[in-house]
Amino acid sequence: MPVPRAVFEQIRQIIPPLNGTLHKGQSGRVGVLGGALDYTGAPFFAAISAQRVGADLSHVICSPTAANAIKSYSPDLIVHPILREETPPTTLRPELAALLSRLHVLVIGPGLGREEYMLTFARLALDIAKEQGMFLVLDADGLYMAGRELNSIKGYRRAVLTPNVVEFKRLSEQAVRHRPQHTTRKTSVGGVKSARRCAILQKGQSDIIAVNTEDAKSRAAHEASKISPEEGEQNEVIVVETPGGLKRCGGQGDILSGGVGTFLAWAKCYETGAFGDNSIPVSRMPILAAIGGSMVTRTTSRRAFEKEGRSVVTQDMLKEIGGAFREVFGGETQGGGTL
């Protein structure tokens, strides 16, 4: 089943126009928090994919042990090696808060790892981002971090979580405090409430995107997400069946998180009046961003696989993102020459 036309048109509305009216940064400033000694590829793929989808600027917030490698991959990325193991969180907080205030969205998780100091800094960044009303994407070990204390993300309606089937099962078990006998695609959708009212993009053969906020109608729930109390509740499931590649290589999830991050950065620009008519409610932005990111990523994967087959790697996918975006949303949204 294709994405409903009305939903697709809403996604198109939050894509910035390429008409020369916007200045640098008004098509999105994306931050990726991750990158430690053993993990430098994932934050690079997420950050550079955000730019390939269409963000103006991508920042990587990482450990000094990862910074030089990430810088060497691309001069397009802005790298901040401020996550030093010896730095107390109270000392880091002002610098991190100042940095996040310049961004529209924060992607937490690619290359984060599970060293305790990195998880502590990720939780600090999550708290600051919520205080500032930022959009968030949680992926990979960002999901592990949030799963250790689900109240950290509970009810925050500006967030998209991007688990695979195994990660979703773990989050569900942590939320409901019991272990189901088995997990299927159907029970995963039915159990989306256990993910605490955030938008969920469950990756798989088809991507299941769902949000349910119907049990959180209090003013406090809206205020915590910096969303107007007048905005209604949501209970929606969209299945994205856009064809993807037939090989699932490491790094494709990072492309997805970066892509979703860009759509959320555009949502923030739309919300603040950089473009658009402000007719789409803020609380609807996460599900739209998740759908858009999913469609582009799956198309990117298919295009790269058609060219490279079994030998395809994530690097091959990066150069297909522009063409995939044009294929999904039309040439008028992409500009430039024929791809």
Side-chain angles (χ1 to χ4, degrees):
M1 176 183 296
V3 172
R5 171 55 61 176
V7 174
F8 184 78
E9 290 303 323
Q10 283 190 319
I11 299 170
R12 284 174 57 91
Q13 286 185 56
I14 64 172
I15 298 173
L18 289 172
N19 57 12
T21 62
L22 301 179
H23 60 69
K24 183 174 69 175
Q26 288 188 311
S27 286
R29 300 187 293 270
V30 177
V32 176
L33 191 140
L37 181 62
D38 294 330
Y39 303 103
T40 60
F44 161 74
F45 285 133
I48 201 66
S49 296
Q51 285 197 291
R52 287 289 189 179
V53 170
D56 283 345
L57 298 166
S58 278
H59 298 248
V60 178
I61 307 166
C62 64
S63 164
T65 58
N68 286 340
I70 296 171
K71 289 179 180 180
S72 73
Y73 298 150
S74 172
D76 292 298
L77 305 181
I78 304 168
V79 181
H80 306 271
I82 63 174
L83 306 182
R84 301 177 180 87
E85 185 172 5
E86 66 275 12
T87 303
T90 52
T91 302
L92 178 65
R93 179 180 252 276
E95 182 178 10
L96 187 57
L99 174 55
L100 296 189
S101 70
R102 295 153 47 193
L103 307 178
H104 295 122
V105 64
L106 182 64
V107 181
I108 301 177
L112 181 66
R114 296 189 181 182
E115 293 180 88
E116 197 59 39
Y117 82 97
M118 290 294 288
L119 294 172
T120 298
F121 290 150
R123 174 58 197 273
L124 174 64
L126 174 62
D127 291 343
I128 294 171
K130 288 168 58 182
E131 291 168 8
Q132 296 183 359
M134 292 181 70
F135 286 106
L136 287 165
V137 180
L138 268 63
D139 185 39
D141 284 327
L143 295 170
Y144 174 79
M145 176 272 297
R148 300 202 307 177
E149 190 176 348
L150 278 175
N151 282 339
S152 65
I153 198 67
K154 178 181 178 180
Y156 191 65
R157 302 187 191 185
R158 291 176 179 264
V160 176
L161 278 57
T162 60
N164 58 31
V165 173
V166 173
E167 290 165 336
F168 187 92
K169 183 173 183 289
R170 183 175 66 235
L171 283 171
S172 297
E173 292 167 355
Q174 289 167 325
V176 301
R177 304 297 183 186
H178 74 273
R179 181 176 299 275
Q181 293 299 311
H182 62 279
T183 299
T184 66
R185 300 289 278 165
K186 184 176 180 180
T187 58
S188 293
V189 174
V192 71
K193 263 190 170 182
S194 68
R196 303 302 192 189
R197 300 185 291 273
C198 298
I200 306 293
L201 193 172
Q202 185 192 319
K203 299 172 286 192
Q205 188 172 2
S206 55
D207 291 345
I208 301 176
I209 299 156
V211 62
N212 186 332
T213 65
E214 290 185 334
D215 60 342
K217 299 181 180 180
S218 70
R219 179 175 292 272
H222 287 78
E223 289 178 350
S225 302
K226 309 292 192 294
I227 288 175
S228 169
E230 304 304 317
E231 293 198 15
E233 308 308 320
Q234 293 178 268
N235 186 356
E236 189 171 3
V237 176
I238 300 289
V239 180
V240 177
E241 297 178 321
T242 303
L246 300 182
K247 181 186 176 187
R248 184 67 170 87
C249 59
Q252 188 169 322
D254 303 313
I255 291 179
L256 175 65
S257 64
V260 174
T262 292
F263 277 94
L264 286 174
W266 290 342
K268 186 66 175 181
C269 296
Y270 178 95
E271 177 190 0
T272 56
F275 62 88
D277 60 8
N278 209 29
S279 62
I280 302 175
V282 174
S283 58
R284 187 151 181 77
M285 297 301 184
I287 194 168
L288 297 179
I291 296 167
S294 171
M295 294 176 73
V296 171
T297 301
R298 294 174 70 89
T299 303
T300 297
S301 173
R302 192 209 77 230
R303 289 168 65 101
F305 181 79
E306 286 174 351
K307 293 181 178 179
E308 305 295 339
R310 190 179 298 275
S311 68
V312 70
V313 295
T314 306
Q315 288 274 25
D316 299 320
M317 297 181 190
L318 296 179
K319 55 194 175 187
E320 298 296 332
I321 293 174
F325 195 99
R326 179 189 294 269
E327 182 178 330
V328 173
F329 292 108
E332 69 276 14
T333 66
Q334 187 68 352
T338 302
L339 298 176

